[in-house]
Amino acid sequence: MALATPRITRKCERAVVTAYRELRDVGTPDIQAFGACTTLYRIHHPEASMNEARRLVSEWIDHHVVREADGPTPGCECP
């Protein structure tokens, strides 16, 4: 039986993590998937700097994908 994926409440975070997983599942190399997810984050938050976007995306991927953790993550204040 597969484990349930924890619910991610922040819309931008959920979009980023879902996109990363799906891109990697179809064979997209890590760096390209990361770049696409950084762009996706900046679509949700055009006010964010590239450095901020890269930092948050890397933290979210590490938290949800690499460590498979389900606790809260740092990030933006959006719902």
Side-chain angles (χ1 to χ4, degrees):
M1 178 159 84
L3 295 174
T5 302
R7 177 146 166 75
I8 301 171
T9 57
R10 219 180 273 132
K11 290 178 186 177
C12 58
E13 183 175 359
R14 184 171 54 247
V16 163
V17 172
T18 299
Y20 182 83
R21 284 183 172 137
E22 290 180 0
L23 286 166
R24 296 294 287 146
D25 284 349
V26 297
T28 304
D30 178 64
I31 195 71
Q32 280 130 346
F34 177 78
C37 290
T38 300
T39 299
L40 178 59
Y41 177 81
R42 293 194 74 214
I43 289 169
H44 281 263
H45 293 283
E47 76 284 359
S49 70
M50 188 59 108
N51 285 338
E52 178 185 9
R54 286 179 180 143
R55 180 186 58 79
L56 283 175
V57 168
S58 65
E59 287 177 3
W60 292 342
I61 290 169
D62 179 63
H63 183 82
H64 294 289
V65 178
V66 175
R67 292 186 291 134
E68 299 179 345
D70 61 359
T73 61
C76 61
E77 299 300 319
C78 73

mmCIF file of all heavy atoms in Angstrom, residues 29-78:
data_model
loop_
_atom_site.group_PDB
_atom_site.id
_atom_site.type_symbol
_atom_site.label_atom_id
_atom_site.label_comp_id
_atom_site.label_asym_id
_atom_site.label_seq_id
_atom_site.Cartn_x
_atom_site.Cartn_y
_atom_site.Cartn_z
ATOM 1 N N PRO A 29 15.991 15.904 -16.533
ATOM 2 C CA PRO A 29 17.140 16.006 -15.624
ATOM 3 C C PRO A 29 16.859 16.974 -14.480
ATOM 4 O O PRO A 29 16.095 17.945 -14.623
ATOM 5 C CB PRO A 29 18.265 16.524 -16.524
ATOM 6 C CG PRO A 29 17.855 16.121 -17.910
ATOM 7 C CD PRO A 29 16.348 16.208 -17.912
ATOM 8 N N ASP A 30 17.497 16.712 -13.347
ATOM 9 C CA ASP A 30 17.265 17.490 -12.131
ATOM 10 C C ASP A 30 17.411 18.995 -12.351
ATOM 11 O O ASP A 30 16.549 19.764 -11.945
ATOM 12 C CB ASP A 30 18.227 17.017 -11.042
ATOM 13 C CG ASP A 30 18.070 17.826 -9.772
ATOM 14 O OD1 ASP A 30 16.981 17.766 -9.173
ATOM 15 O OD2 ASP A 30 19.019 18.527 -9.393
ATOM 16 N N ILE A 31 18.475 19.419 -12.993
ATOM 17 C CA ILE A 31 18.726 20.864 -13.127
ATOM 18 C C ILE A 31 17.649 21.540 -13.976
ATOM 19 O O ILE A 31 17.249 22.665 -13.694
ATOM 20 C CB ILE A 31 20.158 21.151 -13.646
ATOM 21 C CG1 ILE A 31 20.527 22.608 -13.433
ATOM 22 C CG2 ILE A 31 20.317 20.760 -15.083
ATOM 23 C CD1 ILE A 31 20.749 22.982 -11.997
ATOM 24 N N GLN A 32 17.155 20.850 -15.003
ATOM 25 C CA GLN A 32 16.083 21.427 -15.818
ATOM 26 C C GLN A 32 14.764 21.456 -15.059
ATOM 27 O O GLN A 32 13.998 22.419 -15.163
ATOM 28 C CB GLN A 32 15.943 20.692 -17.146
ATOM 29 C CG GLN A 32 16.982 21.170 -18.122
ATOM 30 C CD GLN A 32 17.726 20.027 -18.771
ATOM 31 O OE1 GLN A 32 17.650 18.890 -18.315
ATOM 32 N NE2 GLN A 32 18.466 20.328 -19.802
ATOM 33 N N ALA A 33 14.491 20.409 -14.295
ATOM 34 C CA ALA A 33 13.272 20.390 -13.480
ATOM 35 C C ALA A 33 13.326 21.504 -12.437
ATOM 36 O O ALA A 33 12.335 22.202 -12.204
ATOM 37 C CB ALA A 33 13.105 19.030 -12.809
ATOM 38 N N PHE A 34 14.490 21.678 -11.822
ATOM 39 C CA PHE A 34 14.657 22.740 -10.832
ATOM 40 C C PHE A 34 14.438 24.119 -11.480
ATOM 41 O O PHE A 34 13.744 24.972 -10.929
ATOM 42 C CB PHE A 34 16.050 22.665 -10.206
ATOM 43 C CG PHE A 34 16.330 23.770 -9.236
ATOM 44 C CD1 PHE A 34 15.815 23.731 -7.959
ATOM 45 C CD2 PHE A 34 17.109 24.860 -9.607
ATOM 46 C CE1 PHE A 34 16.061 24.762 -7.054
ATOM 47 C CE2 PHE A 34 17.359 25.888 -8.712
ATOM 48 C CZ PHE A 34 16.831 25.835 -7.433
ATOM 49 N N GLY A 35 15.019 24.327 -12.657
ATOM 50 C CA GLY A 35 14.848 25.599 -13.354
ATOM 51 C C GLY A 35 13.400 25.877 -13.704
ATOM 52 O O GLY A 35 12.908 26.999 -13.554
ATOM 53 N N ALA A 36 12.699 24.851 -14.161
ATOM 54 C CA ALA A 36 11.286 25.013 -14.498
ATOM 55 C C ALA A 36 10.472 25.359 -13.253
ATOM 56 O O ALA A 36 9.573 26.216 -13.300
ATOM 57 C CB ALA A 36 10.751 23.737 -15.136
ATOM 58 N N CYS A 37 10.801 24.737 -12.146
ATOM 59 C CA CYS A 37 10.075 24.998 -10.902
ATOM 60 C C CYS A 37 10.381 26.383 -10.342
ATOM 61 O O CYS A 37 9.508 27.023 -9.751
ATOM 62 C CB CYS A 37 10.378 23.904 -9.884
ATOM 63 S SG CYS A 37 9.640 22.334 -10.359
ATOM 64 N N THR A 38 11.597 26.850 -10.544
ATOM 65 C CA THR A 38 11.936 28.209 -10.138
ATOM 66 C C THR A 38 11.113 29.209 -10.947
ATOM 67 O O THR A 38 10.567 30.166 -10.400
ATOM 68 C CB THR A 38 13.446 28.464 -10.321
ATOM 69 O OG1 THR A 38 14.160 27.521 -9.514
ATOM 70 C CG2 THR A 38 13.826 29.865 -9.906
ATOM 71 N N THR A 39 10.990 28.956 -12.243
ATOM 72 C CA THR A 39 10.159 29.811 -13.103
ATOM 73 C C THR A 39 8.708 29.758 -12.656
ATOM 74 O O THR A 39 8.033 30.795 -12.579
ATOM 75 C CB THR A 39 10.285 29.371 -14.568
ATOM 76 O OG1 THR A 39 11.652 29.517 -14.972
ATOM 77 C CG2 THR A 39 9.392 30.200 -15.481
ATOM 78 N N LEU A 40 8.220 28.561 -12.339
ATOM 79 C CA LEU A 40 6.845 28.414 -11.870
ATOM 80 C C LEU A 40 6.616 29.207 -10.588
ATOM 81 O O LEU A 40 5.596 29.897 -10.448
ATOM 82 C CB LEU A 40 6.536 26.931 -11.642
ATOM 83 C CG LEU A 40 5.146 26.593 -11.110
ATOM 84 C CD1 LEU A 40 4.063 27.086 -12.061
ATOM 85 C CD2 LEU A 40 5.043 25.093 -10.891
ATOM 86 N N TYR A 41 7.555 29.142 -9.662
ATOM 87 C CA TYR A 41 7.420 29.920 -8.428
ATOM 88 C C TYR A 41 7.320 31.409 -8.751
ATOM 89 O O TYR A 41 6.491 32.124 -8.194
ATOM 90 C CB TYR A 41 8.595 29.670 -7.479
ATOM 91 C CG TYR A 41 8.503 30.528 -6.248
ATOM 92 C CD1 TYR A 41 7.685 30.157 -5.192
ATOM 93 C CD2 TYR A 41 9.180 31.745 -6.155
ATOM 94 C CE1 TYR A 41 7.552 30.960 -4.070
ATOM 95 C CE2 TYR A 41 9.053 32.549 -5.033
ATOM 96 C CZ TYR A 41 8.237 32.152 -3.998
ATOM 97 O OH TYR A 41 8.099 32.958 -2.895
ATOM 98 N N ARG A 42 8.133 31.873 -9.685
ATOM 99 C CA ARG A 42 8.137 33.297 -10.015
ATOM 100 C C ARG A 42 6.878 33.709 -10.768
ATOM 101 O O ARG A 42 6.511 34.879 -10.751
ATOM 102 C CB ARG A 42 9.389 33.667 -10.779
ATOM 103 C CG ARG A 42 10.613 33.514 -9.838
ATOM 104 C CD ARG A 42 11.857 34.141 -10.345
ATOM 105 N NE ARG A 42 11.757 35.590 -10.209
ATOM 106 C CZ ARG A 42 12.305 36.430 -11.070
ATOM 107 N NH1 ARG A 42 12.966 35.990 -12.121
ATOM 108 N NH2 ARG A 42 12.203 37.731 -10.872
ATOM 109 N N ILE A 43 6.185 32.776 -11.382
ATOM 110 C CA ILE A 43 4.877 33.083 -11.970
ATOM 111 C C ILE A 43 3.883 33.357 -10.850
ATOM 112 O O ILE A 43 3.096 34.291 -10.920
ATOM 113 C CB ILE A 43 4.400 31.939 -12.893
ATOM 114 C CG1 ILE A 43 5.259 31.918 -14.162
ATOM 115 C CG2 ILE A 43 2.914 32.077 -13.227
ATOM 116 C CD1 ILE A 43 5.067 30.684 -15.024
ATOM 117 N N HIS A 44 3.943 32.559 -9.794
ATOM 118 C CA HIS A 44 3.083 32.776 -8.626
ATOM 119 C C HIS A 44 3.495 34.032 -7.866
ATOM 120 O O HIS A 44 2.663 34.698 -7.262
ATOM 121 C CB HIS A 44 3.157 31.579 -7.666
ATOM 122 C CG HIS A 44 2.343 30.413 -8.087
ATOM 123 N ND1 HIS A 44 1.086 30.176 -7.611
ATOM 124 C CD2 HIS A 44 2.610 29.400 -8.949
ATOM 125 C CE1 HIS A 44 0.608 29.068 -8.151
ATOM 126 N NE2 HIS A 44 1.520 28.581 -8.969
ATOM 127 N N HIS A 45 4.796 34.338 -7.863
ATOM 128 C CA HIS A 45 5.337 35.462 -7.097
ATOM 129 C C HIS A 45 6.310 36.277 -7.943
ATOM 130 O O HIS A 45 7.529 36.177 -7.761
ATOM 131 C CB HIS A 45 6.054 34.945 -5.838
ATOM 132 C CG HIS A 45 5.126 34.325 -4.862
ATOM 133 N ND1 HIS A 45 4.315 35.072 -4.035
ATOM 134 C CD2 HIS A 45 4.851 33.025 -4.590
ATOM 135 C CE1 HIS A 45 3.585 34.254 -3.293
ATOM 136 N NE2 HIS A 45 3.885 33.016 -3.628
ATOM 137 N N PRO A 46 5.798 37.097 -8.860
ATOM 138 C CA PRO A 46 6.694 37.880 -9.721
ATOM 139 C C PRO A 46 7.543 38.882 -8.941
ATOM 140 O O PRO A 46 8.571 39.344 -9.445
ATOM 141 C CB PRO A 46 5.740 38.578 -10.697
ATOM 142 C CG PRO A 46 4.395 38.506 -10.054
ATOM 143 C CD PRO A 46 4.402 37.303 -9.161
ATOM 144 N N GLU A 47 7.147 39.187 -7.734
ATOM 145 C CA GLU A 47 7.910 40.126 -6.911
ATOM 146 C C GLU A 47 9.166 39.495 -6.313
ATOM 147 O O GLU A 47 10.049 40.198 -5.812
ATOM 148 C CB GLU A 47 7.021 40.680 -5.783
ATOM 149 C CG GLU A 47 6.763 39.731 -4.622
ATOM 150 C CD GLU A 47 5.751 38.603 -4.882
ATOM 151 O OE1 GLU A 47 5.180 38.512 -5.986
ATOM 152 O OE2 GLU A 47 5.539 37.817 -3.944
ATOM 153 N N ALA A 48 9.252 38.178 -6.349
ATOM 154 C CA ALA A 48 10.386 37.475 -5.746
ATOM 155 C C ALA A 48 11.631 37.600 -6.615
ATOM 156 O O ALA A 48 11.555 37.538 -7.838
ATOM 157 C CB ALA A 48 10.042 35.998 -5.562
ATOM 158 N N SER A 49 12.757 37.752 -5.966
ATOM 159 C CA SER A 49 14.026 37.768 -6.699
ATOM 160 C C SER A 49 14.351 36.342 -7.145
ATOM 161 O O SER A 49 13.822 35.364 -6.603
ATOM 162 C CB SER A 49 15.156 38.286 -5.806
ATOM 163 O OG SER A 49 15.456 37.335 -4.795
ATOM 164 N N MET A 50 15.230 36.231 -8.108
ATOM 165 C CA MET A 50 15.651 34.909 -8.566
ATOM 166 C C MET A 50 16.307 34.138 -7.428
ATOM 167 O O MET A 50 16.067 32.942 -7.264
ATOM 168 C CB MET A 50 16.609 35.049 -9.748
ATOM 169 C CG MET A 50 16.930 33.721 -10.373
ATOM 170 S SD MET A 50 15.449 32.894 -10.957
ATOM 171 C CE MET A 50 15.683 33.082 -12.687
ATOM 172 N N ASN A 51 17.110 34.824 -6.616
ATOM 173 C CA ASN A 51 17.755 34.144 -5.479
ATOM 174 C C ASN A 51 16.733 33.622 -4.475
ATOM 175 O O ASN A 51 16.877 32.509 -3.961
ATOM 176 C CB ASN A 51 18.757 35.068 -4.788
ATOM 177 C CG ASN A 51 20.022 35.241 -5.584
ATOM 178 O OD1 ASN A 51 20.359 34.410 -6.416
ATOM 179 N ND2 ASN A 51 20.727 36.330 -5.340
ATOM 180 N N GLU A 52 15.721 34.427 -4.179
ATOM 181 C CA GLU A 52 14.679 33.986 -3.251
ATOM 182 C C GLU A 52 13.937 32.780 -3.821
ATOM 183 O O GLU A 52 13.681 31.799 -3.117
ATOM 184 C CB GLU A 52 13.684 35.112 -2.966
ATOM 185 C CG GLU A 52 12.554 34.692 -2.055
ATOM 186 C CD GLU A 52 11.500 35.761 -1.857
ATOM 187 O OE1 GLU A 52 11.520 36.794 -2.550
ATOM 188 O OE2 GLU A 52 10.633 35.543 -0.996
ATOM 189 N N ALA A 53 13.600 32.839 -5.097
ATOM 190 C CA ALA A 53 12.894 31.729 -5.736
ATOM 191 C C ALA A 53 13.735 30.454 -5.695
ATOM 192 O O ALA A 53 13.239 29.384 -5.335
ATOM 193 C CB ALA A 53 12.544 32.087 -7.176
ATOM 194 N N ARG A 54 14.993 30.555 -6.030
ATOM 195 C CA ARG A 54 15.868 29.379 -6.005
ATOM 196 C C ARG A 54 15.992 28.803 -4.599
ATOM 197 O O ARG A 54 15.979 27.585 -4.408
ATOM 198 C CB ARG A 54 17.253 29.750 -6.526
ATOM 199 C CG ARG A 54 17.292 29.949 -8.009
ATOM 200 C CD ARG A 54 18.684 30.334 -8.460
ATOM 201 N NE ARG A 54 18.721 30.524 -9.901
ATOM 202 C CZ ARG A 54 19.439 31.453 -10.505
ATOM 203 N NH1 ARG A 54 20.194 32.282 -9.799
ATOM 204 N NH2 ARG A 54 19.413 31.547 -11.812
ATOM 205 N N ARG A 55 16.105 29.673 -3.604
ATOM 206 C CA ARG A 55 16.241 29.217 -2.223
ATOM 207 C C ARG A 55 14.988 28.457 -1.774
ATOM 208 O O ARG A 55 15.080 27.347 -1.247
ATOM 209 C CB ARG A 55 16.503 30.392 -1.284
ATOM 210 C CG ARG A 55 16.652 29.981 0.183
ATOM 211 C CD ARG A 55 16.772 31.175 1.107
ATOM 212 N NE ARG A 55 15.657 32.102 1.038
ATOM 213 C CZ ARG A 55 14.477 31.913 1.643
ATOM 214 N NH1 ARG A 55 14.255 30.826 2.356
ATOM 215 N NH2 ARG A 55 13.523 32.814 1.543
ATOM 216 N N LEU A 56 13.816 29.052 -2.011
ATOM 217 C CA LEU A 56 12.577 28.398 -1.576
ATOM 218 C C LEU A 56 12.334 27.097 -2.324
ATOM 219 O O LEU A 56 11.979 26.080 -1.717
ATOM 220 C CB LEU A 56 11.384 29.337 -1.751
ATOM 221 C CG LEU A 56 11.257 30.421 -0.688
ATOM 222 C CD1 LEU A 56 10.120 31.364 -1.037
ATOM 223 C CD2 LEU A 56 11.035 29.808 0.676
ATOM 224 N N VAL A 57 12.531 27.111 -3.634
ATOM 225 C CA VAL A 57 12.311 25.898 -4.417
ATOM 226 C C VAL A 57 13.247 24.793 -3.940
ATOM 227 O O VAL A 57 12.826 23.648 -3.759
ATOM 228 C CB VAL A 57 12.465 26.181 -5.928
ATOM 229 C CG1 VAL A 57 12.524 24.897 -6.737
ATOM 230 C CG2 VAL A 57 11.310 27.054 -6.422
ATOM 231 N N SER A 58 14.502 25.126 -3.707
ATOM 232 C CA SER A 58 15.436 24.088 -3.243
ATOM 233 C C SER A 58 15.049 23.578 -1.854
ATOM 234 O O SER A 58 15.133 22.368 -1.591
ATOM 235 C CB SER A 58 16.878 24.587 -3.268
ATOM 236 O OG SER A 58 17.073 25.631 -2.351
ATOM 237 N N GLU A 59 14.593 24.461 -0.971
ATOM 238 C CA GLU A 59 14.162 24.025 0.357
ATOM 239 C C GLU A 59 12.938 23.118 0.270
ATOM 240 O O GLU A 59 12.854 22.098 0.960
ATOM 241 C CB GLU A 59 13.858 25.227 1.252
ATOM 242 C CG GLU A 59 15.108 25.959 1.702
ATOM 243 C CD GLU A 59 14.805 27.201 2.538
ATOM 244 O OE1 GLU A 59 13.620 27.479 2.836
ATOM 245 O OE2 GLU A 59 15.769 27.898 2.885
ATOM 246 N N TRP A 60 11.985 23.472 -0.579
ATOM 247 C CA TRP A 60 10.772 22.668 -0.716
ATOM 248 C C TRP A 60 11.074 21.308 -1.326
ATOM 249 O O TRP A 60 10.537 20.295 -0.887
ATOM 250 C CB TRP A 60 9.731 23.408 -1.539
ATOM 251 C CG TRP A 60 9.172 24.622 -0.841
ATOM 252 C CD1 TRP A 60 9.236 24.914 0.482
ATOM 253 C CD2 TRP A 60 8.462 25.692 -1.450
ATOM 254 N NE1 TRP A 60 8.602 26.117 0.731
ATOM 255 C CE2 TRP A 60 8.123 26.604 -0.426
ATOM 256 C CE3 TRP A 60 8.083 25.974 -2.756
ATOM 257 C CZ2 TRP A 60 7.408 27.773 -0.684
ATOM 258 C CZ3 TRP A 60 7.375 27.142 -3.012
ATOM 259 C CH2 TRP A 60 7.037 28.028 -1.980
ATOM 260 N N ILE A 61 11.922 21.270 -2.353
ATOM 261 C CA ILE A 61 12.280 19.991 -2.971
ATOM 262 C C ILE A 61 13.025 19.121 -1.961
ATOM 263 O O ILE A 61 12.731 17.929 -1.821
ATOM 264 C CB ILE A 61 13.104 20.217 -4.252
ATOM 265 C CG1 ILE A 61 12.207 20.810 -5.344
ATOM 266 C CG2 ILE A 61 13.743 18.909 -4.729
ATOM 267 C CD1 ILE A 61 12.953 21.305 -6.560
ATOM 268 N N ASP A 62 13.950 19.722 -1.237
ATOM 269 C CA ASP A 62 14.678 18.961 -0.222
ATOM 270 C C ASP A 62 13.718 18.412 0.830
ATOM 271 O O ASP A 62 13.786 17.245 1.201
ATOM 272 C CB ASP A 62 15.748 19.840 0.432
ATOM 273 C CG ASP A 62 16.508 19.091 1.513
ATOM 274 O OD1 ASP A 62 17.185 18.095 1.168
ATOM 275 O OD2 ASP A 62 16.409 19.487 2.688
ATOM 276 N N HIS A 63 12.827 19.246 1.292
ATOM 277 C CA HIS A 63 11.897 18.855 2.361
ATOM 278 C C HIS A 63 10.937 17.757 1.906
ATOM 279 O O HIS A 63 10.819 16.718 2.562
ATOM 280 C CB HIS A 63 11.108 20.092 2.809
ATOM 281 C CG HIS A 63 10.171 19.834 3.943
ATOM 282 N ND1 HIS A 63 10.577 19.802 5.248
ATOM 283 C CD2 HIS A 63 8.842 19.588 3.954
ATOM 284 C CE1 HIS A 63 9.537 19.550 6.031
ATOM 285 N NE2 HIS A 63 8.473 19.424 5.262
ATOM 286 N N HIS A 64 10.239 18.008 0.801
ATOM 287 C CA HIS A 64 9.156 17.111 0.381
ATOM 288 C C HIS A 64 9.618 15.917 -0.444
ATOM 289 O O HIS A 64 9.038 14.841 -0.335
ATOM 290 C CB HIS A 64 8.109 17.881 -0.435
ATOM 291 C CG HIS A 64 7.385 18.899 0.365
ATOM 292 N ND1 HIS A 64 6.471 18.580 1.343
ATOM 293 C CD2 HIS A 64 7.453 20.251 0.347
ATOM 294 C CE1 HIS A 64 5.990 19.684 1.884
ATOM 295 N NE2 HIS A 64 6.578 20.717 1.300
ATOM 296 N N VAL A 65 10.633 16.107 -1.276
ATOM 297 C CA VAL A 65 11.039 15.052 -2.207
ATOM 298 C C VAL A 65 12.229 14.266 -1.664
ATOM 299 O O VAL A 65 12.185 13.045 -1.582
ATOM 300 C CB VAL A 65 11.345 15.635 -3.605
ATOM 301 C CG1 VAL A 65 11.805 14.539 -4.559
ATOM 302 C CG2 VAL A 65 10.129 16.373 -4.164
ATOM 303 N N VAL A 66 13.282 14.961 -1.275
ATOM 304 C CA VAL A 66 14.500 14.283 -0.835
ATOM 305 C C VAL A 66 14.295 13.634 0.532
ATOM 306 O O VAL A 66 14.531 12.438 0.700
ATOM 307 C CB VAL A 66 15.704 15.254 -0.816
ATOM 308 C CG1 VAL A 66 16.942 14.587 -0.253
ATOM 309 C CG2 VAL A 66 15.969 15.789 -2.223
ATOM 310 N N ARG A 67 13.858 14.427 1.516
ATOM 311 C CA ARG A 67 13.706 13.902 2.878
ATOM 312 C C ARG A 67 12.339 13.278 3.134
ATOM 313 O O ARG A 67 12.135 12.628 4.153
ATOM 314 C CB ARG A 67 13.972 15.006 3.893
ATOM 315 C CG ARG A 67 15.433 15.439 3.892
ATOM 316 C CD ARG A 67 15.772 16.434 4.976
ATOM 317 N NE ARG A 67 15.143 17.722 4.713
ATOM 318 C CZ ARG A 67 14.501 18.438 5.622
ATOM 319 N NH1 ARG A 67 14.431 18.023 6.866
ATOM 320 N NH2 ARG A 67 13.961 19.598 5.302
ATOM 321 N N GLU A 68 11.378 13.529 2.222
ATOM 322 C CA GLU A 68 10.011 13.031 2.376
ATOM 323 C C GLU A 68 9.407 13.426 3.715
ATOM 324 O O GLU A 68 8.674 12.659 4.336
ATOM 325 C CB GLU A 68 9.940 11.520 2.149
ATOM 326 C CG GLU A 68 10.366 11.107 0.762
ATOM 327 C CD GLU A 68 10.330 9.606 0.542
ATOM 328 O OE1 GLU A 68 10.248 8.841 1.534
ATOM 329 O OE2 GLU A 68 10.402 9.211 -0.620
ATOM 330 N N ALA A 69 9.733 14.618 4.173
ATOM 331 C CA ALA A 69 9.215 15.132 5.447
ATOM 332 C C ALA A 69 7.818 15.692 5.242
ATOM 333 O O ALA A 69 7.442 16.062 4.132
ATOM 334 C CB ALA A 69 10.144 16.209 5.986
ATOM 335 N N ASP A 70 7.047 15.747 6.304
ATOM 336 C CA ASP A 70 5.689 16.257 6.178
ATOM 337 C C ASP A 70 5.380 17.426 7.103
ATOM 338 O O ASP A 70 4.256 17.882 7.178
ATOM 339 C CB ASP A 70 4.669 15.140 6.375
ATOM 340 C CG ASP A 70 4.751 14.505 7.746
ATOM 341 O OD1 ASP A 70 5.613 14.906 8.542
ATOM 342 O OD2 ASP A 70 3.941 13.606 8.015
ATOM 343 N N GLY A 71 6.373 17.950 7.751
ATOM 344 C CA GLY A 71 6.151 19.099 8.629
ATOM 345 C C GLY A 71 6.083 20.394 7.842
ATOM 346 O O GLY A 71 6.224 20.410 6.624
ATOM 347 N N PRO A 72 5.872 21.488 8.530
ATOM 348 C CA PRO A 72 5.804 22.787 7.871
ATOM 349 C C PRO A 72 7.148 23.181 7.272
ATOM 350 O O PRO A 72 8.207 22.709 7.710
ATOM 351 C CB PRO A 72 5.388 23.747 8.984
ATOM 352 C CG PRO A 72 5.767 23.065 10.241
ATOM 353 C CD PRO A 72 5.704 21.591 9.974
ATOM 354 N N THR A 73 7.104 24.022 6.270
ATOM 355 C CA THR A 73 8.315 24.502 5.616
ATOM 356 C C THR A 73 8.361 26.025 5.650
ATOM 357 O O THR A 73 7.318 26.673 5.750
ATOM 358 C CB THR A 73 8.359 24.071 4.138
ATOM 359 O OG1 THR A 73 7.231 24.631 3.464
ATOM 360 C CG2 THR A 73 8.347 22.560 4.000
ATOM 361 N N PRO A 74 9.554 26.594 5.537
ATOM 362 C CA PRO A 74 9.639 28.050 5.417
ATOM 363 C C PRO A 74 9.127 28.463 4.044
ATOM 364 O O PRO A 74 9.087 27.654 3.114
ATOM 365 C CB PRO A 74 11.136 28.325 5.554
ATOM 366 C CG PRO A 74 11.800 27.055 5.174
ATOM 367 C CD PRO A 74 10.842 25.944 5.518
ATOM 368 N N GLY A 75 8.722 29.683 3.919
ATOM 369 C CA GLY A 75 8.283 30.126 2.603
ATOM 370 C C GLY A 75 7.504 31.407 2.641
ATOM 371 O O GLY A 75 7.542 32.145 3.619
ATOM 372 N N CYS A 76 6.782 31.627 1.580
ATOM 373 C CA CYS A 76 6.005 32.846 1.418
ATOM 374 C C CYS A 76 4.781 32.816 2.337
ATOM 375 O O CYS A 76 4.492 31.802 2.978
ATOM 376 C CB CYS A 76 5.582 32.987 -0.031
ATOM 377 S SG CYS A 76 4.537 31.621 -0.570
ATOM 378 N N GLU A 77 4.069 33.913 2.353
ATOM 379 C CA GLU A 77 2.906 34.036 3.234
ATOM 380 C C GLU A 77 1.584 33.790 2.511
ATOM 381 O O GLU A 77 0.537 34.028 3.065
ATOM 382 C CB GLU A 77 2.883 35.440 3.858
ATOM 383 C CG GLU A 77 4.088 35.747 4.710
ATOM 384 C CD GLU A 77 4.248 34.787 5.880
ATOM 385 O OE1 GLU A 77 3.227 34.439 6.510
ATOM 386 O OE2 GLU A 77 5.385 34.359 6.133
ATOM 387 N N CYS A 78 1.646 33.287 1.278
ATOM 388 C CA CYS A 78 0.399 33.088 0.546
ATOM 389 C C CYS A 78 -0.327 31.840 1.040
ATOM 390 O O CYS A 78 0.277 30.968 1.649
ATOM 391 C CB CYS A 78 0.649 33.034 -0.954
ATOM 392 S SG CYS A 78 1.436 31.543 -1.538
#
